[in-house]
Amino acid sequence: MSAPHTPKGRAEAISRIRTALIEKKMTQAELADAADCHEKTIQNLLGARSVRDQTLFDVCMVLDLPFEDLKADWTGSATLYDVPTDAPGQPAPGTDIAPEYMGAYTRAGVDQMIGQYLTVRPAFAVDEMVVAYRTDIDWDPSWPSLTFQEKDRPDAAYAHRGRLHIPASSMFLHFVSLTKGAMRMIVVSQLDQLGQMRGIITTISRHGPLIRPVSAPVIYLAQEHFADDSFGQITKGAPNYDRYRAMLDGVTAEGFARLVE
Protein backbone atom coordinates (compact mmCIF):
# COMPACT_ATOMS: atom_id res chain seq x y z
CA MET A 1 0.00 0.00 0.00
CA SER A 2 1.39 3.40 -0.94
CA ALA A 3 1.77 6.14 1.66
CA PRO A 4 -0.94 8.84 1.71
CA HIS A 5 -0.13 11.90 -0.33
CA THR A 6 0.98 14.95 1.63
CA PRO A 7 0.04 18.29 0.01
CA LYS A 8 3.05 20.37 -0.97
CA GLY A 9 2.12 23.24 1.36
CA ARG A 10 1.77 20.95 4.35
CA ALA A 11 5.09 19.27 3.54
CA GLU A 12 6.75 22.69 3.48
CA ALA A 13 5.22 23.54 6.87
CA ILE A 14 6.53 20.28 8.34
CA SER A 15 9.98 21.04 6.91
CA ARG A 16 9.96 24.45 8.63
CA ILE A 17 9.00 22.87 11.94
CA ARG A 18 11.73 20.23 11.65
CA THR A 19 14.31 22.89 10.76
CA ALA A 20 13.28 24.99 13.77
CA LEU A 21 13.60 21.91 16.00
CA ILE A 22 17.16 21.39 14.79
CA GLU A 23 18.05 25.07 15.22
CA LYS A 24 16.74 25.07 18.78
CA LYS A 25 18.30 21.65 19.48
CA MET A 26 14.97 20.32 20.73
CA THR A 27 13.60 16.79 20.60
CA GLN A 28 9.99 15.98 19.78
CA ALA A 29 9.44 15.14 23.44
CA GLU A 30 10.84 18.51 24.53
CA LEU A 31 8.64 20.30 22.00
CA ALA A 32 5.59 18.44 23.28
CA ASP A 33 6.44 19.41 26.86
CA ALA A 34 7.00 23.07 25.96
CA ALA A 35 3.81 23.21 23.87
CA ASP A 36 1.87 21.48 26.67
CA CYS A 37 0.65 18.57 24.58
CA HIS A 38 1.33 14.83 24.21
CA GLU A 39 4.34 13.61 22.24
CA LYS A 40 1.90 11.60 20.10
CA THR A 41 0.30 14.90 19.04
CA ILE A 42 3.67 16.17 17.81
CA GLN A 43 4.19 12.90 15.95
CA ASN A 44 0.80 13.38 14.30
CA LEU A 45 1.73 16.92 13.34
CA LEU A 46 5.06 15.88 11.81
CA GLY A 47 3.31 12.99 10.09
CA ALA A 48 1.03 15.44 8.25
CA ARG A 49 -2.05 14.27 10.15
CA SER A 50 -4.67 16.77 11.26
CA VAL A 51 -4.22 18.46 14.63
CA ARG A 52 -6.09 21.23 16.40
CA ASP A 53 -5.50 24.84 15.46
CA GLN A 54 -4.44 25.49 19.06
CA THR A 55 -1.72 22.83 18.77
CA LEU A 56 -0.26 24.47 15.67
CA PHE A 57 -0.41 27.85 17.41
CA ASP A 58 1.37 26.51 20.51
CA VAL A 59 4.10 24.87 18.43
CA CYS A 60 4.65 28.13 16.53
CA MET A 61 4.98 30.02 19.81
CA VAL A 62 7.59 27.59 21.13
CA LEU A 63 9.61 27.52 17.92
CA ASP A 64 9.27 31.25 17.13
CA LEU A 65 7.57 30.52 13.81
CA PRO A 66 4.96 32.86 12.26
CA PHE A 67 1.60 31.24 12.95
CA GLU A 68 -0.32 32.81 10.06
CA ASP A 69 2.36 31.91 7.51
CA LEU A 70 2.66 28.33 8.73
CA LYS A 71 -1.10 28.00 8.88
CA ALA A 72 -1.38 29.13 5.26
CA ASP A 73 1.03 26.35 4.23
CA TRP A 74 -1.43 23.65 5.27
CA THR A 75 -2.99 23.67 1.80
CA GLY A 76 -6.22 21.79 1.42
CA SER A 77 -6.70 21.05 5.12
CA ALA A 78 -10.31 21.86 5.84
CA THR A 79 -10.38 20.08 9.20
CA LEU A 80 -7.27 21.56 10.77
CA TYR A 81 -9.04 24.74 11.77
CA ASP A 82 -12.31 23.43 13.09
CA VAL A 83 -13.77 24.91 16.25
CA PRO A 84 -11.26 24.41 19.12
CA THR A 85 -12.49 21.77 21.54
CA ASP A 86 -11.66 23.99 24.51
CA ALA A 87 -13.80 26.92 23.31
CA PRO A 88 -17.60 26.96 23.24
CA GLY A 89 -19.48 28.83 20.53
CA GLN A 90 -18.29 29.84 17.11
CA PRO A 91 -17.22 33.20 15.65
CA ALA A 92 -18.94 34.77 12.68
CA PRO A 93 -16.82 33.65 9.69
CA GLY A 94 -15.14 36.35 7.66
CA THR A 95 -15.76 39.11 10.19
CA ASP A 96 -13.76 41.05 12.74
CA ILE A 97 -16.19 40.29 15.57
CA ALA A 98 -15.26 38.07 18.49
CA PRO A 99 -17.65 35.24 19.47
CA GLU A 100 -20.53 36.22 21.70
CA TYR A 101 -19.19 34.20 24.65
CA MET A 102 -16.02 36.35 24.52
CA GLY A 103 -17.97 39.62 24.49
CA ALA A 104 -18.71 40.07 20.77
CA TYR A 105 -16.18 42.91 20.59
CA THR A 106 -14.92 44.20 17.26
CA ARG A 107 -11.35 44.64 16.14
CA ALA A 108 -11.98 48.34 15.54
CA GLY A 109 -13.09 48.68 19.15
CA VAL A 110 -9.96 47.06 20.62
CA ASP A 111 -7.32 47.92 18.02
CA GLN A 112 -5.60 50.30 20.44
CA MET A 113 -4.78 47.34 22.71
CA ILE A 114 -2.58 45.57 20.15
CA GLY A 115 1.07 45.90 21.17
CA GLN A 116 3.57 44.83 23.80
CA TYR A 117 3.35 45.32 27.55
CA LEU A 118 5.64 45.29 30.54
CA THR A 119 3.95 42.86 32.94
CA VAL A 120 4.69 43.00 36.67
CA ARG A 121 3.41 40.85 39.54
CA PRO A 122 4.77 39.65 42.89
CA ALA A 123 6.74 36.41 43.04
CA PHE A 124 4.47 33.72 44.43
CA ALA A 125 7.04 31.77 46.44
CA VAL A 126 9.63 34.37 47.49
CA ASP A 127 8.96 37.38 49.71
CA GLU A 128 10.14 40.85 48.62
CA MET A 129 10.57 39.79 45.00
CA VAL A 130 8.64 40.86 41.91
CA VAL A 131 8.56 39.13 38.53
CA ALA A 132 8.63 41.18 35.33
CA TYR A 133 8.21 39.96 31.77
CA ARG A 134 6.69 40.95 28.44
CA THR A 135 3.20 40.23 27.16
CA ASP A 136 2.30 40.66 23.49
CA ILE A 137 -1.32 41.27 22.45
CA ASP A 138 -2.38 40.67 18.85
CA TRP A 139 -5.48 40.00 16.77
CA ASP A 140 -6.19 36.50 15.48
CA PRO A 141 -8.21 36.73 12.23
CA SER A 142 -8.75 32.96 12.07
CA TRP A 143 -10.70 32.98 15.35
CA PRO A 144 -11.59 36.68 15.62
CA SER A 145 -10.39 37.87 19.02
CA LEU A 146 -7.41 39.35 20.81
CA THR A 147 -4.72 36.86 21.81
CA PHE A 148 -1.93 37.25 24.35
CA GLN A 149 1.47 35.59 24.59
CA GLU A 150 3.87 35.90 27.54
CA LYS A 151 7.54 36.25 26.66
CA ASP A 152 10.87 36.81 28.42
CA ARG A 153 9.67 35.14 31.60
CA PRO A 154 12.46 33.88 33.90
CA ASP A 155 10.44 30.65 34.13
CA ALA A 156 9.83 30.37 30.39
CA ALA A 157 8.39 26.85 30.67
CA TYR A 158 5.35 28.29 32.47
CA ALA A 159 4.65 31.14 30.03
CA HIS A 160 0.96 31.39 29.19
CA ARG A 161 -0.86 32.18 25.98
CA GLY A 162 -4.58 32.62 25.54
CA ARG A 163 -7.38 34.97 24.56
CA LEU A 164 -8.99 38.13 25.87
CA HIS A 165 -12.62 38.13 26.96
CA ILE A 166 -14.09 41.63 27.08
CA PRO A 167 -17.65 41.99 28.44
CA ALA A 168 -19.73 44.77 26.93
CA SER A 169 -19.94 47.97 28.99
CA SER A 170 -17.56 46.60 31.62
CA MET A 171 -14.69 48.43 33.30
CA PHE A 172 -12.70 45.20 33.36
CA LEU A 173 -11.51 42.54 30.91
CA HIS A 174 -10.19 39.00 31.27
CA PHE A 175 -6.99 37.30 30.10
CA VAL A 176 -7.91 33.60 29.95
CA SER A 177 -5.64 30.65 29.25
CA LEU A 178 -7.15 27.17 29.18
CA THR A 179 -5.09 24.02 28.62
CA LYS A 180 -6.17 20.46 29.36
CA GLY A 181 -8.76 21.65 31.85
CA ALA A 182 -6.38 23.96 33.72
CA MET A 183 -7.49 27.59 33.65
CA ARG A 184 -5.69 30.77 34.64
CA MET A 185 -7.53 34.08 34.64
CA ILE A 186 -6.33 37.63 34.99
CA VAL A 187 -8.90 40.38 35.54
CA VAL A 188 -7.67 43.90 34.82
CA SER A 189 -9.08 47.34 34.18
CA GLN A 190 -9.62 48.59 30.65
CA LEU A 191 -6.57 50.21 29.02
CA ASP A 192 -6.30 53.82 30.24
CA GLN A 193 -4.73 56.91 28.68
CA LEU A 194 -1.39 56.10 30.34
CA GLY A 195 -1.30 52.68 28.71
CA GLN A 196 -1.99 50.80 31.95
CA MET A 197 -4.22 47.86 32.85
CA ARG A 198 -4.36 46.93 36.53
CA GLY A 199 -6.03 44.14 38.44
CA ILE A 200 -5.51 40.66 39.85
CA ILE A 201 -4.13 37.30 38.71
CA THR A 202 -5.59 34.00 39.92
CA THR A 203 -3.67 30.84 39.15
CA ILE A 204 -1.84 27.94 40.81
CA SER A 205 1.77 27.97 41.98
CA ARG A 206 4.31 25.41 43.08
CA HIS A 207 5.78 25.98 46.53
CA GLY A 208 8.24 23.20 47.31
CA PRO A 209 6.36 19.91 46.97
CA LEU A 210 2.98 21.68 47.14
CA ILE A 211 0.84 23.14 44.37
CA ARG A 212 -1.69 25.65 45.62
CA PRO A 213 -4.03 28.39 44.33
CA VAL A 214 -2.70 31.95 44.54
CA SER A 215 -3.96 35.46 43.80
CA ALA A 216 -1.91 38.63 43.52
CA PRO A 217 -1.99 42.13 42.01
CA VAL A 218 -0.75 42.50 38.45
CA ILE A 219 -0.14 45.42 36.11
CA TYR A 220 0.35 45.77 32.36
CA LEU A 221 2.11 48.85 30.98
CA ALA A 222 2.20 49.45 27.21
CA GLN A 223 5.72 50.09 25.96
CA GLU A 224 7.43 50.22 22.57
CA HIS A 225 10.93 49.59 23.89
CA PHE A 226 12.35 47.74 26.90
CA ALA A 227 15.62 48.28 28.73
CA ASP A 228 17.95 45.31 29.14
CA ASP A 229 17.17 45.08 32.87
CA SER A 230 13.38 45.31 32.50
CA PHE A 231 12.65 41.61 32.94
CA GLY A 232 13.42 38.88 35.41
CA GLN A 233 13.13 38.16 39.11
CA ILE A 234 13.62 41.59 40.66
CA THR A 235 14.79 41.53 44.27
CA LYS A 236 14.84 44.32 46.83
CA GLY A 237 17.69 46.72 46.12
CA ALA A 238 17.72 46.06 42.36
CA PRO A 239 17.37 49.14 40.10
CA ASN A 240 13.71 48.58 39.15
CA TYR A 241 12.48 47.09 42.41
CA ASP A 242 11.11 50.24 44.08
CA ARG A 243 9.35 51.38 40.90
CA TYR A 244 7.77 48.00 40.27
CA ARG A 245 6.75 47.62 43.91
CA ALA A 246 5.10 51.06 43.87
CA MET A 247 3.19 50.10 40.71
CA LEU A 248 1.85 46.95 42.38
CA ASP A 249 0.97 48.76 45.61
CA GLY A 250 -1.04 51.21 43.52
CA VAL A 251 -3.27 48.40 42.22
CA THR A 252 -4.88 47.95 45.62
CA ALA A 253 -4.32 51.46 46.98
CA GLU A 254 -6.17 53.00 44.04
CA GLY A 255 -9.01 50.49 44.16
CA PHE A 256 -8.36 48.41 41.04
CA ALA A 257 -8.41 45.22 43.13
CA ARG A 258 -9.00 44.16 46.70
CA LEU A 259 -7.31 41.20 48.33
CA VAL A 260 -9.55 39.83 51.09
CA GLU A 261 -8.11 37.55 53.79
Side-chain angles (χ1 to χ4, degrees):
M1 181 181 294
S2 61
H5 174 66
T6 300
K8 179 180 179 181
R10 184 171 290 194
E12 291 176 351
I14 293 170
S15 177
R16 295 175 69 180
I17 293 172
R18 290 189 182 278
T19 299
L21 275 171
I22 294 172
E23 291 175 345
K24 289 186 174 292
K25 300 179 180 179
M26 295 181 69
T27 66
Q28 292 183 24
E30 289 170 337
L31 175 59
D33 185 60
D36 202 9
C37 65
H38 296 292
E39 186 175 357
K40 181 65 175 177
T41 302
I42 299 300
Q43 293 171 355
N44 287 338
L45 175 66
L46 296 178
R49 291 180 286 274
S50 294
V51 297
R52 293 189 306 128
D53 189 23
Q54 184 67 45
T55 298
L56 188 64
F57 177 81
D58 291 345
V59 167
C60 286
M61 293 300 101
V62 172
L63 297 179
D64 293 326
L65 293 172
F67 173 59
E68 291 301 328
D69 290 349
L70 202 71
K71 176 180 172 179
D73 283 342
W74 286 79
T75 305
S77 176
T79 60
L80 181 61
Y81 307 112
D82 287 345
V83 177
T85 57
D86 58 0
Q90 191 169 7
T95 70
D96 280 340
I97 305 175
E100 185 175 354
Y101 77 92
M102 298 180 69
Y105 56 86
T106 65
R107 172 165 184 168
V110 298
D111 201 52
Q112 76 282 359
M113 294 183 62
I114 295 174
Q116 51 191 14
Y117 295 79
L118 171 67
T119 309
V120 181
R121 62 162 174 80
F124 296 140
V126 181
D127 293 336
E128 295 189 332
M129 176 187 287
V130 298
V131 178
Y133 48 92
R134 168 182 156 192
T135 300
D136 290 352
I137 295 179
D138 204 352
W139 181 265
D140 178 8
S142 67
W143 186 270
S145 60
L146 289 173
T147 62
F148 72 91
Q149 167 71 32
E150 295 175 350
K151 298 182 177 181
D152 298 306
R153 280 184 53 158
D155 52 349
Y158 297 98
H160 281 252
R161 49 196 169 269
R163 299 183 183 273
L164 273 69
H165 296 235
I166 307 177
S169 304
S170 174
M171 295 176 59
F172 293 88
L173 51 91
H174 309 263
F175 288 67
V176 180
S177 55
L178 176 61
T179 304
K180 297 179 183 178
M183 176 180 287
R184 188 196 71 172
M185 185 166 66
I186 300 173
V187 184
V188 292
S189 58
Q190 292 276 1
L191 187 68
D192 64 21
Q193 294 180 341
L194 298 177
Q196 298 180 112
M197 296 182 287
R198 293 177 279 186
I200 193 170
I201 177 174
T202 299
T203 184
I204 58 174
S205 173
R206 183 180 296 277
H207 185 70
L210 301 177
I211 296 178
R212 58 189 181 186
V214 294
S215 290
V218 65
I219 184 167
Y220 293 84
L221 179 62
Q223 291 188 195
E224 293 186 4
H225 307 286
F226 299 93
D228 292 340
D229 61 353
S230 296
F231 309 128
Q233 296 175 323
I234 314 298
T235 56
K236 193 171 184 179
N240 286 316
Y241 180 83
D242 289 341
R243 180 169 71 94
Y244 288 171
R245 187 69 259 178
M247 291 164 58
L248 291 174
D249 290 343
V251 172
T252 52
E254 297 177 33
F256 289 94
R258 181 186 177 195
L259 303 178
V260 180
E261 296 184 4

